[in-house]
Amino acid sequence: MNSMAETNRNEEIPPNLISIVITTKNEEKNIEHCLQSIQDQTYSKELIETIVVDNQSQDGTKEIAKQYTDLVFDKGPERSAQRNFGIMTVARGSNVL
């Protein structure tokens, strides 16, 4: 597991924290727009936790994602495994998207 996620688990969790889990594979053309739209929300940035769970992308997906969040992981082979990992292992928010 990413050390950032381990660090986050030990900090106090804000009660309004929203976790957003994004599953990806070779989404270089789309991921930046997705992550930028999350960043552009009016909801407090400190209360949004963006988690990207990638499935061995061969393009620049992970590199782009790392410009927006430290919570970038590799997991697969199916989207369900990626989503479940993000929700069950990484997400800390009381609401998960």
Side-chain angles (χ1 to χ4, degrees):
M1 182 179 338
N2 181 311
S3 61
M4 179 66 175
E6 291 170 0
T7 300
N8 284 346
R9 292 238 175 251
N10 296 328
E11 295 175 2
E12 186 175 331
I13 300 169
N16 318 15
L17 183 68
I18 295 175
S19 298
I20 302 173
V21 178
I22 303 166
T23 59
T24 60
K25 180 163 185 167
N26 296 326
E27 291 291 339
E28 179 180 57
K29 293 180 181 179
N30 303 306
I31 191 66
E32 187 161 22
H33 180 71
C34 176
L35 294 169
Q36 186 63 53
S37 70
I38 293 168
Q39 203 170 58
D40 291 343
Q41 296 302 305
T42 57
Y43 196 70
S44 175
K45 308 284 184 266
E46 295 78 33
L47 297 176
I48 299 175
E49 173 182 65
T50 304
I51 302 161
V52 176
V53 186
D54 188 67
N55 184 2
Q56 304 299 318
S57 286
Q58 300 299 308
D59 61 6
T61 300
K62 287 183 283 193
E63 291 74 17
I64 294 168
K66 288 177 183 176
Q67 294 173 22
Y68 290 85
T69 180
D70 292 329
L71 300 174
V72 179
F73 302 88
D74 281 307
K75 188 72 176 175
E78 301 161 350
R79 289 216 190 260
S80 58
Q82 292 173 273
R83 181 187 61 243
N84 292 343
F85 173 79
I87 293 169
M88 305 295 283
T89 306
V90 184
R92 300 177 306 133
S94 56
N95 295 296
V96 180
L97 306 174

